[in-house]
Amino acid sequence: MSRLFDHALRSATADHAELVRKYELYRTVVEFLAAATFVIGSIFFFYPGLVFAGTWLFLVGSILFAVRPTIRLLLELRLANLPVPAEFRPYGAPPVEKDHTA
């Protein structure tokens, strides 16, 4: 199995690159939503009647910021489980065993 957080896997094949592109899009959307909830929550704190809603927006923003590393870890796990062609395997790596039961 490939190592986690191996940047060479990000462009090993077209499937790897597409997976990275997709997860980076997810992560960017989550980061934008987290930032927006913090900005809106901050504005709400200027108005006494909106402090409660602002507190909830801060909580939602905090949860979204916690989702960011989760998306990164899911990406790394998916990349590590995608097959890598022989020409991208590191020198000295054991050969991939093929299933001879078919």
Side-chain angles (χ1 to χ4, degrees):
M1 182 168 134
S2 299
R3 294 182 331 208
L4 291 177
F5 301 99
D6 182 357
H7 284 280
L9 287 177
R10 293 176 163 266
S11 59
T13 66
D15 288 339
H16 287 77
E18 178 62 21
L19 189 65
V20 170
R21 187 198 66 75
K22 193 182 330 180
Y23 274 77
E24 289 296 326
L25 177 64
Y26 299 155
R27 193 169 154 197
T28 301
V29 168
V30 167
E31 288 176 354
F32 178 76
L33 292 173
T37 58
F38 271 103
V39 169
I40 295 168
S42 296
I43 293 169
F44 280 13
F45 275 103
F46 288 117
Y47 303 96
L50 296 175
V51 170
F52 184 76
T55 303
W56 276 102
L57 286 173
F58 269 51
L59 177 62
V60 170
S62 298
I63 291 168
L64 289 171
F65 276 127
V67 169
R68 290 173 56 219
T70 305
I71 292 172
R72 175 74 189 272
L73 181 59
L74 290 174
L75 168 63
E76 295 299 331
L77 291 171
R78 293 277 310 270
L79 284 174
N81 288 319
L82 281 179
V84 178
E87 62 266 20
F88 289 101
R89 295 180 58 74
Y91 179 75
V96 177
E97 294 185 25
K98 295 181 182 179
D99 185 14
H100 298 289
T101 58

